[in-house]
Amino acid sequence: MTPEVLVYPDRPALIEAALALIIERILTAINERQSCTIALSGGSTPQPLYAALAGADLPWQQIQIFWGDERYVAATDPDSNYGMTKRVWLDLVPIPAANIHPMPTGLAQPQLAADDYDRQIVAHFGSEAGSIPVFDIILLGMGDDGHTASLFPHTAALSVRDRLVTLGDKDGQPRLTLTFPIINQARSVIFLISGASKQTALAEIFSPTGDPTAYPSRGVAPQGELLWLLDAAAGEKLKSEGD
Ligand code: 6PG
């Protein structure tokens, strides 16, 4: 499907719009399949969105929460994506603990953790061998360098095609990340991007030609919907001439 770019005047408007769009897609998934599987992004941008979701009246029993990537730290670490989401959202809603699937970060070897989460996803979706599970929603952020999830520029994770979860590498720091094959299998992929520091990477990503290993977000091309939700500060350079 053709990507859709939606630019909002400021960050509060971006979060308000993202909240409505995500709730709509959660309810559609539940209406159609009695369940919604969503993989969350980390970082700072989605925090107000997650806080707003804590106030939403949703059928939490039918929502399954996964993560798109995770820093390899304990849940109590300030850098933990799971820890942040739990604090601002999941601890505040009546979602069953069994519906929350954090990436394991307590194993001695991060690769074993990646393999474990791969198995958890396959088990949850009951996927046939060789088929790729289909998330209803995958929420993504984008770094100033154009990375998404923990798919960083010029790293081995970008070329992994035979796993659902692999090791990311942020300047030598281990990460766990979904791979392009499972991201691109999703029914709906939604980027949530805010701030002027994202302008350059967005211009590269939306240019007609470009190196996806330098700007990994270029590699996101789902079989389903792709929404780019930006505030004006981030989307400045995407405006066509004369806007
Ligand atoms: C992470 C994220 C990562 C994030 C971008 C943008 O674990 O950090 O999943 O991909 O979305 O780095 O981060 P900000 O929202 O903080 O700019």
Side-chain angles (χ1 to χ4, degrees):
M1 287 169 76
T2 308
E4 188 173 0
V5 180
L6 301 170
V7 183
Y8 299 91
D10 54 29
R11 189 173 168 141
L14 169 68
I15 297 302
E16 186 181 347
L19 177 66
L21 285 163
I22 287 169
I23 287 175
E24 180 189 0
R25 281 151 183 78
I26 288 173
L27 296 177
T28 297
I30 291 170
N31 288 340
E32 292 176 358
R33 289 174 294 279
Q34 293 70 55
S35 167
C36 175
T37 52
I38 180 168
L40 301 177
S41 67
S44 58
T45 303
Q47 288 192 33
L49 170 63
Y50 297 163
L53 279 163
D57 179 16
L58 289 170
W60 298 108
Q61 307 272 347
Q62 293 169 277
I63 298 173
Q64 298 286 339
I65 305 277
F66 293 79
W67 273 263
D69 74 315
E70 185 59 275
R71 296 83 181 275
Y72 208 70
V73 295
T76 51
D77 187 296
D79 275 350
S80 169
N81 290 333
Y82 163 65
M84 174 273 285
T85 315
K86 186 173 184 294
R87 185 173 66 252
V88 306
W89 172 15
L90 300 180
D91 281 351
L92 310 178
V93 296
I95 186 168
N99 290 27
I100 301 172
H101 310 270
M103 289 184 158
T105 58
L107 300 179
Q109 299 298 326
Q111 184 60 57
L112 296 177
D115 296 345
D116 179 64
Y117 205 62
D118 199 299
R119 284 192 295 271
Q120 285 188 48
I121 291 174
V122 169
H124 177 79
F125 284 87
S127 317
E128 299 286 315
S131 71
I132 302 175
V134 181
F135 273 97
D136 291 303
I137 303 167
I138 296 183
L139 186 58
L140 294 175
M142 188 195 73
D144 296 356
D145 60 359
H147 82 262
T148 190
S150 282
L151 299 164
F152 287 91
H154 309 298
T155 58
L158 303 184
S159 53
V160 174
R161 292 289 180 273
D162 61 346
R163 309 303 309 277
L164 305 177
V165 185
T166 194
L167 284 189
D169 175 355
K170 178 183 170 64
D171 306 328
Q173 293 300 313
R175 296 279 191 97
L176 302 179
T177 186
L178 296 186
T179 59
F180 281 124
I182 192 166
I183 289 171
N184 286 333
Q185 198 69 7
R187 291 188 179 88
S188 178
V189 175
I190 301 174
F191 274 100
L192 186 72
I193 302 173
S194 169
S197 68
K198 315 290 186 181
Q199 281 182 13
T200 302
L202 281 169
E204 290 287 343
I205 287 155
F206 280 86
S207 70
T209 58
D211 176 3
T213 60
Y215 293 94
S217 296
R218 283 184 76 97
V220 176
Q223 53 96 16
E225 165 187 65
L226 175 56
L227 290 183
W228 294 83
L229 307 184
L230 317 175
D231 64 9
E236 183 64 29
K237 289 187 178 166
L238 295 189
K239 287 182 183 169
S240 53
E241 291 307 313
D243 269 13

